[in-house]
Amino acid sequence: MVEKQVLLEVSELRKYYPISRGIFRRVAGYVKAVDGVSFSVNQGEVVGLIGESGCGKTTTGRCILRAITPTSGSILFHNGKAQDVTAMNRDELRDYRRNAQMIFQDPYSSLNPRMSVLEIVGEALYVNGVARGRALEDRVRVLMSQVGLKPEHMRRFPHAFSGGQRQRIGIARALALEPKLIVADEPTSALDVSIQAQIINLLQNLQKTLGLTYLLIAHDLSVIRHFSNRVVVLYVGQACEVSDTEELFRAPRHPYTEALLSAVPKPDPKRRGNRIVLGGEVPDPAAAPLGCKFHPRCPYSQEVCRTELPPMIEVSEDHFASCHFSETLKLRAV
Amino acid sequence: MDQQKANVLLEAKDLKVDFILDEGTVRAVNNVSLTVKRGKTLGMIGESGCGKSVTAQSILRVVPSPPGRIVGGSILLYAMNGDASVDIASLDPKGKAIREIRGREISMIFQEPMTSFSPVHTVGNQIGEALILHRRFSSEKARQESISALARVGIPKPEQRVDEYPYQLSGGMRQRAMIAMALSCSPRLLIADEPTTALDVTIQAQILELLRKLQDEEGMAMLIITHNLGIVAEMAEDVVVMYFGYAVEYGDVNQIFEAPLHPYTRCLWDAIPSIDKKSDRELTTIKGNVPDPFSEFAGCPFFERCPEAMPERCELSPPPLVEVVAGHRVRCFLYEVKANG
Ligand SMILES: Nc1ncnc2c1ncn2[C@@H]1O[C@H](COP(=O)(O)OP(=O)(O)OP(=O)(O)O)[C@@H](O)[C@H]1O
Ligand SMILES: Nc1ncnc2c1ncn2[C@@H]1O[C@H](COP(=O)(O)OP(=O)(O)OP(=O)(O)O)[C@@H](O)[C@H]1O
Ligand SMILES: [Mg+2]
Ligand SMILES: [Mg+2]
């Protein structure tokens, strides 16, 4: 195995949104959308970011791309030298954004309906002064064939393409500036199963041929298992488990991960009914419980879980979990 | 045979629904036949636009019309003893007969609860309305009954929630309230159109468990519509696979998952990544896209994408419906060969 090279290091990342009330817009509290998340992404790797709606996946992704400014924490990007994304000036950010791109969930709303494919895919090349005129068209042609679109369709508008094809347009746009890192936010969840498979294969092939690194946000755990090398599990703005993918599915060490794996309906009628059903709901990130945020729903919770926030500990090599009892609990695999 | 017949609650035969639009005609449901058994769950699966929701709308006669129209076939709803039946497809969609069936014999829940709740009335008033209408309850009795309906679907503090408005409930809670409303008159069939698609997996697990528990208690049948193979495997006894308006395969859930027959079903099964093991191979894809809704096919609509297509044969005439083993039907020429040879 080659030495792992870190590309991205996220430490103690926080993003709080103030909630203001009353006519004087007093700050009445904070939505702690991301509340102290740490993980790293190695060069050429796919890191999956999972967790239920509102747990802070998109917010984490947007902080990493500096689409929004984090409240605190650091995000080191290693590109020759290590630079903190949160402390970059304008010029540095412009450079960084060529290296870090995003693919969105919704292939309908993420493309401007009044722009042709040539304009959509070529925009970044034009704005960054990479190519103009014929050279630009040539580059767009290459990008379109890379993602499996017919280059002769480059003057068409988004409405003339199917959902899967629009997602390919979004991918070509993200690839235009030859980025190192791609944050893919639910890239297949708006697509039908048969089209999802095409897009996953495409993303996987591009990763191999272009040496890309992905942060893959997805709630479909079978997609995560198929596609990612490591997984970060979020619960209400905090990471509760970070692990190699195979190990996570075979031997989860956090009760929330266990419940999440168990809750997924399996496409096998013989396994019916055998699952853990958690009570309650995901807490509001503006009013999360004290202690371990998972304790009100956790089937194993003890007194200490109500009062003390469990630290993230390394339970085995490169496998981290934040549970007071991760060393002793015998949890179920998927 | 009669024994089997007695188990049938609802039977669609060669149902056809068209949407007549300026751009052309969409054959949304094309000769669909299916059976819902008493107290059992039929899972309907297929990709976007294949006619799942329109099939459900036809059963309740709520297909928007115009542009939609049932142009053929029947939907027989059998009475308790199994002999008498009414053909829903031939009823007047605004008539008394269908209104008595809706909500009382058959009710429906949707992906987005806000579509079945009115935002301006309390949850309790909306659940109570059906009770007052169908069961002639007094408003006080309806309110009490609404509270116990909310309690039964696991909503905490039901006596407080009953006076709240739908927007005051969380997504999972709203879905529970909609189920409470749908079940208030103890229907014999509950149609659930993507009931958990908008929910998180842990909440989805709660709702699926709730549906199963209520089914056990009430003995109602369910038609669950989904694009999630896992939900079908978890919930259904029988499965119908739809493609481009056609029911391409129908059978027992074990048959369908262990020995899928239609090439489309097999492709769909292979296209989903496995949650159980890591695989280094690429996912199997289905080439091309779902056809444009206005397309017309002389032969099988899956022909162009089918890995087992037989040129000419599949292209020229519609594939036959073949019962390959008892209760397992498939619409495909591959099996006609086997049946004859
Ligand atoms: N601009 C904002 N202002 C206030 N709150 C916000 C803002 N953006 C996000 N939030 C809140 O932060 C939390 C995390 O949101 P985020 O979009 O990161 O979740 P997510 O994990 O991506 O969820 P989903 O799976 O639904 O996409 C949510 O409670 C959300 O309501
Ligand atoms: N009100 C309508 N007017 C015109 N066409 C319609 C209408 N409702 C449905 N259709 C068409 O009928 C076909 C079947 O639609 P239907 O809603 O049943 O699909 P579905 O299988 O439920 O898809 P999804 O998984 O996306 O919900 C589609 O081609 C759709 O565009
Ligand atoms: Mg998100
Ligand atoms: Mg539908």
Side-chain angles (χ1 to χ4, degrees), chain A residues 57-59 105 185-186 217:
Chain A
K57 304 182 293 296
T58 299
T59 307
Q105 166 174 356
D185 193 352
E186 303 277 6
I217 297 174

Side-chain angles (χ1 to χ4, degrees), chain B residues 161-197:
Chain B
R161 295 292 185 185
V162 75
D163 295 321
E164 290 185 352
Y165 292 87
Y167 70 87
Q168 291 174 291
L169 307 181
S170 69
M173 207 89 92
R174 241 182 261 149
Q175 200 61 309
R176 285 171 189 269
M178 180 164 60
I179 293 171
M181 180 158 79
L183 297 191
S184 61
C185 292
S186 308
R188 290 192 291 149
L189 171 62
L190 177 71
I191 302 177
D193 192 353
E194 306 272 5
T196 58
T197 307

Side-chain angles (χ1 to χ4, degrees), chain B residues 35 40 44 62 70 91 110 122 173 212 217 271 327:
Chain B
T35 306
K40 305 280 191 214
M44 178 179 272
V62 292
I70 296 183
L91 297 178
F110 303 88
T122 64
M173 207 89 92
R212 194 145 352 123
E217 290 169 8

